[in-house]
Amino acid sequence: MPTADAAPILQVRGLEVRYGSVPALRDVDLEVQRGEIVGLIGPNGAGKSTTLQAIVGTVRASAGEILLGGVSIRGQAPERIVRSGVGLVPEGRRIFAALTVEENLRLGLAGRRSKNGAHEALEMVNELFPVLRESRRRHAGLLSGGQQQQLAIGRALVAEPDVLLLDEPSLGLAPTIVDAVFEKLGAIRDRGVTILLVEQRAQRTVAFADRTYVLANGELRMTLGPGEAGDTDRMVAAYFGS
Amino acid sequence: MTEHVQTLLDAVALGSIYGLMAIGIGLVFGVLRLVNFAYGQLVMAGAYALALTQDVSVVLSIALCFAVVLALSLAMELAAFRPLRNASPTTMLVATFAISYLLQSIALVRFGAIGKILVVIPQLTKPLTIGSLHVRWITIVTILVAAGVFAALTLFLTRTSIGLQMRAASIDSETARLLGVRANAVITVAVLISGAIAALVAVILPMAVPERILVTPDYALRETIIVLVGVVVGGIDRLLTATLGGFTMGFLVGALSGFLPSSGSWPFTSSVYLDSAVFMLVIVVLLLRPEGLFTRSRRSVVDRV
């Protein structure tokens, strides 16, 4: 839930990223208030994943500023950024298939800022995703795609991040499983977790998020509210730059 | 028959030492993707520390050996491995060649080429007699120590947070870092454990292998090369397969040198042609199972190296 604290928990100002001489992001500004779900949509190659990678420090920003709770995190090592309160559910889930479900979740504890409360955090995730508790001794590689996505989300949540970044959590999942994933994201929102959601499913994301940024060709084109999910003309115009 | 049992036990002991070195090399490879060619020089440094202080108390001498090897391991990590963190595996391998020859040269300049006699605990080289079987105590101690180290390391890797993080970093270090795993801390712990094992080998090797009683600048170099071959043959990707590879090479060297006659003409002269026989077997294994003797993956040996 949004609090009285007006300062955004995550703020990106004038972000630029280049791959060699090719600009991937140009002058991107976005902000996420505490308790919000903010969407980030756009066509393939728009720079959505690059934005998340720049925030977590796996891609170097050539210009601009990234602030977490008002403090700059630009240029820091990824593990330090994660330990500062940024959780990431990476594209493709990237779970450790050879480790058990429980070991994957325990790994997520590495991102915690305090050693206290780790047990409670694991319990919270097991309550949110009962399938993880049921299959805690199984190798994570044996889980279905949807279960692996729940594990990837749970693994990031046990660190109790200030803001959770999700990179295309519905990618490669069957429609019914996508429904379940969005339902879980709603439950996570209800627990007061701040979310920045990168998605290909544009309309669904716009309807789901409090605000959604549309990114195309490395630039922010517009911001949409949940009521504008049906405004396909505007979205198409943003996507194709007309 | 008794002689064969003694030879086999000695071969298991030698396999255990090589297995220990394989663990040391495999641990660092796991987290850094770095084949540490200079691993033998850590053993050499420890052996010199022991040789130079053996007139003092045994405990103090062994403690000093561990201190020297751990300090050198840490220095390697900070001065060489860390600055080359993002370098290609080839660059890192060549860097460890350089470190290896640098340390050998320092030892040569400082201590000379003649070498120093080293007997750490003379009592352990005496035999234990069971009927007609004579087994040296160090043989038994070596096997037990290697088994103990492997068991302790397995517990460490599966039961502790840092061990779990080490396993994750060895599978996918980028994802591990994205979960908050401190890469440098995990790597430093792996390098230090690897160093502690090198120090342990420095203590055991001169007692367990009679020709290793003389500490020279190229001490443990031959063992390192054979162990490196062993971990590749076994499967360097996983600690267990790497260890089994190292153990198998040690066992083969021990068994062949025991069972082959010590005189005669090729191919029956073990003292001269032992390495040829061992490496011939390695070539046969790599031809038949290029993915590694103990691994289940189908990646080629070139990829793994």
Side-chain angles (χ1 to χ4, degrees):
Chain A
M1 295 292 112
T3 66
D5 187 357
I9 187 66
L10 180 69
Q11 197 170 16
V12 172
R13 287 194 210 134
L15 182 65
E16 293 200 14
V17 172
R18 306 180 77 85
Y19 292 123
S21 60
V22 181
L25 290 178
R26 279 176 294 210
D27 198 24
V28 170
D29 292 310
L30 62 86
E31 60 180 51
V32 184
Q33 299 289 338
R34 205 176 280 274
E36 263 190 323
I37 291 190
V38 172
L40 182 60
I41 59 171
N44 274 335
K48 306 185 297 293
S49 291
T50 300
T51 306
L52 292 195
Q53 286 165 1
I55 293 170
V56 295
T58 52
V59 162
R60 202 174 68 84
S62 51
E65 197 48 272
I66 302 163
L67 305 169
L68 180 70
V71 178
S72 174
I73 54 170
R74 187 188 149 193
Q76 290 182 6
E79 59 266 39
R80 195 165 164 204
I81 292 172
V82 170
R83 283 167 175 260
S84 302
V86 178
L88 175 71
V89 180
E91 186 180 345
R93 308 183 274 273
R94 292 172 72 167
I95 54 135
F96 290 93
L99 303 183
T100 65
V101 168
E102 192 172 35
E103 286 172 332
N104 270 275
L105 287 177
R106 273 172 53 208
L107 270 175
L109 297 174
R112 290 183 66 81
R113 283 157 288 183
S114 163
K115 284 185 178 172
N116 299 330
H119 178 73
E120 289 77 7
L122 284 168
E123 271 305 302
M124 178 266 288
V125 166
N126 281 324
E127 264 174 41
L128 199 57
F129 303 111
V131 68
L132 300 182
R133 192 200 300 273
E134 289 155 20
S135 48
R136 65 185 185 278
R137 302 237 185 271
R138 292 181 73 194
H139 279 118
L142 297 175
L143 299 182
S144 69
Q147 290 168 339
Q148 288 186 4
Q149 190 57 268
Q150 293 182 47
L151 176 58
I153 297 170
R155 188 178 62 176
L157 278 179
V158 292
E160 297 190 272
D162 284 335
V163 58
L164 181 66
L165 315 181
L166 295 112
D167 197 353
E168 305 211 23
S170 71
L171 192 70
L173 300 180
T176 52
I177 308 295
V178 173
D179 290 344
V181 167
F182 271 88
E183 197 179 302
K184 290 295 181 188
L185 291 181
I188 293 167
R189 181 216 337 236
D190 293 343
R191 287 169 186 261
V193 178
T194 307
I195 292 175
L196 175 58
L197 172 66
V198 161
E199 258 299 337
Q200 285 272 12
R201 294 167 196 270
Q203 279 184 302
R204 178 137 205 184
T205 304
V206 173
F208 179 71
D210 297 312
R211 277 178 303 118
T212 299
Y213 293 101
V214 183
L215 193 65
N217 205 19
E219 293 173 332
L220 278 183
R221 292 282 165 82
M222 65 177 70
T223 308
L224 299 169
E228 296 170 284
D231 192 349
T232 47
D233 290 344
R234 274 192 81 198
M235 251 185 270
V236 168
Y239 268 51
F240 296 105
S242 57
Chain B
M1 178 61 193
T2 310
E3 197 184 319
H4 289 344
V5 174
Q6 281 170 207
T7 303
L8 281 176
L9 275 173
D10 284 340
V12 171
L14 193 61
S16 302
I17 294 173
Y18 284 30
L20 279 174
M21 291 179 75
I23 293 174
I25 290 169
L27 257 185
V28 170
F29 179 83
V31 291
L32 274 177
R33 301 286 126 180
L34 162 79
V35 177
N36 187 4
F37 188 78
Y39 195 68
Q41 278 56 60
L42 291 175
V43 179
M44 178 269 285
Y48 269 112
L50 287 165
L52 294 168
T53 59
Q54 59 187 330
D55 297 333
V56 200
S57 84
V58 173
V59 175
L60 199 65
S61 183
I62 292 175
L64 201 73
C65 162
F66 272 81
V68 165
V69 179
L70 289 176
L72 197 56
S73 303
L74 198 59
M76 264 189 208
E77 152 63 5
L78 295 176
F81 301 164
R82 196 169 289 187
L84 293 175
R85 205 67 104 214
N86 297 318
S88 71
T90 319
T91 307
M92 292 202 287
L93 178 65
V94 170
T96 69
F97 276 122
I99 296 167
S100 169
Y101 285 108
L102 174 70
L103 292 175
Q104 284 181 63
S105 303
I106 291 171
L108 187 65
V109 170
R110 184 72 185 81
F111 307 115
I114 296 170
K116 295 186 186 305
I117 300 285
L118 170 60
V119 184
V120 187
I121 309 166
Q123 293 87 334
L124 286 182
T125 58
K126 295 196 171 94
L128 167 71
T129 305
I130 308 162
S132 58
L133 190 67
H134 304 288
V135 187
R136 293 189 311 148
W137 277 104
I138 188 65
T139 303
I140 299 164
V141 168
T142 301
I143 296 167
L144 291 178
V145 164
V149 166
F150 191 75
L153 201 63
T154 303
L155 282 177
F156 169 77
L157 289 172
T158 52
R159 301 286 168 86
T160 67
S161 292
I162 189 90
L164 177 62
Q165 291 175 16
M166 209 175 274
R167 284 161 67 205
S170 71
I171 297 168
D172 179 353
S173 66
E174 193 186 326
T175 300
R177 293 180 74 190
L178 286 172
L179 296 175
V181 170
R182 279 186 285 213
N184 282 339
V186 166
I187 289 167
T188 304
V189 171
V191 166
L192 287 175
I193 294 173
S194 169
I197 293 170
L200 200 56
V201 172
V203 174
I204 293 171
L205 191 62
M207 292 185 281
V209 182
E211 59 265 35
R212 284 289 173 245
I213 198 166
L214 190 67
V215 183
T216 51
D218 63 351
Y219 195 74
L221 186 61
R222 177 173 175 270
E223 282 82 358
T224 306
I225 293 169
I226 295 176
V227 170
L228 283 174
V229 170
V231 297
V232 171
V233 168
I236 197 166
D237 281 350
R238 290 180 61 213
L239 199 57
L240 177 64
T241 55
T243 309
L244 282 175
F247 174 84
T248 305
M249 290 299 282
F251 182 81
L252 270 180
V253 169
L256 284 174
S257 66
F259 288 126
L260 287 175
S262 57
S263 63
S265 57
W266 162 258
F268 303 110
T269 311
S270 71
S271 58
V272 178
Y273 292 108
L274 175 62
D275 285 356
S276 309
V278 169
F279 285 108
M280 193 173 71
L281 280 173
V282 166
I283 290 168
V284 170
V285 167
L286 290 180
L287 284 173
L288 294 177
R289 277 190 68 88
E291 68 273 16
L293 194 57
F294 304 111
T295 185
R296 275 174 287 180
S297 88
R298 303 296 299 176
R299 284 173 61 204
S300 75
V301 70
V302 176
D303 286 345
R304 286 184 286 116
V305 171

